[in-house]
Amino acid sequence: MRDESSATRVSNGRCACGAVRYEVHGPLRPVVYCHCTTCRRSTGHFVAATACAREHLVLTQSTALQWYASSPGARRGFCGHCGSNLFWDPLGEARVSILAGSLDRPTGLQAEGHIFVAEAGDYYTIQDGLPQSAAWGQPLEVPEAPTG
């Protein structure tokens, strides 16, 4: 009999049309919401992303996977058929980010905070009480509750 507590969790995900499919053989980081201009422009809104160790990501079907060099040192993976955004890959880093909406349910994930809030769109307000960071590499800080 197999001990499920010591088993490696396998998470599955795919694009909207199924032409790109992947598995993650290991833990996923809690979800981070990214409000940077590049994420907003490439997806139409802010991004909800998890991440895994690079060696834990296994592409099981990838002939439609396309890459776009979105910024120096990073690229974004998407399906060339349906256009689904799937990955943010900081080249040379130990982790790769996965857009959380591309994962099959149940994910078991929870959000941990917001980054690049200084670049957030002017058409929404972040009011969930999660920690926030103005830019990359700055510590997440819990916002003060509104008064009044």
Side-chain angles (χ1 to χ4, degrees), residues 7-144:
T8 300
R9 178 186 166 114
V10 176
S11 301
N12 296 291
R14 67 181 190 91
C15 65
C17 73
V20 179
R21 296 176 184 270
Y22 64 88
E23 296 175 346
V24 178
H25 295 262
L28 291 164
R29 181 199 70 205
V31 172
V32 173
Y33 300 118
C34 182
H35 300 267
C36 79
T37 301
T38 305
C39 279
R40 288 188 304 105
R41 290 194 189 280
S42 68
T43 66
H45 197 37
F46 61 86
V47 162
T50 183
C52 70
R54 185 173 297 281
E55 65 271 14
H56 293 168
L57 178 63
V58 177
L59 297 170
T60 58
Q61 187 170 328
S62 62
T63 56
L65 182 61
Q66 300 288 310
W67 293 98
Y68 168 65
S70 57
S71 54
R75 62 185 185 162
R76 293 174 186 271
F78 64 96
C79 176
H81 292 303
C82 67
S84 294
N85 288 286
L86 300 166
F87 308 111
W88 181 75
D89 184 14
L91 302 173
E93 299 280 328
R95 296 196 169 276
V96 60
S97 291
I98 300 167
L99 274 68
S102 69
L103 287 161
D104 295 342
R105 293 175 66 172
T107 66
L109 296 172
Q110 297 217 352
E112 74 174 358
H114 299 265
I115 59 174
F116 285 104
V117 297
E119 297 180 31
D122 61 359
Y123 56 90
Y124 62 91
T125 305
I126 303 167
Q127 297 180 323
D128 58 14
L130 291 172
Q132 301 178 13
S133 174
W136 185 258
Q138 294 183 357
L140 292 172
E141 297 177 10
V142 177
E144 291 185 28

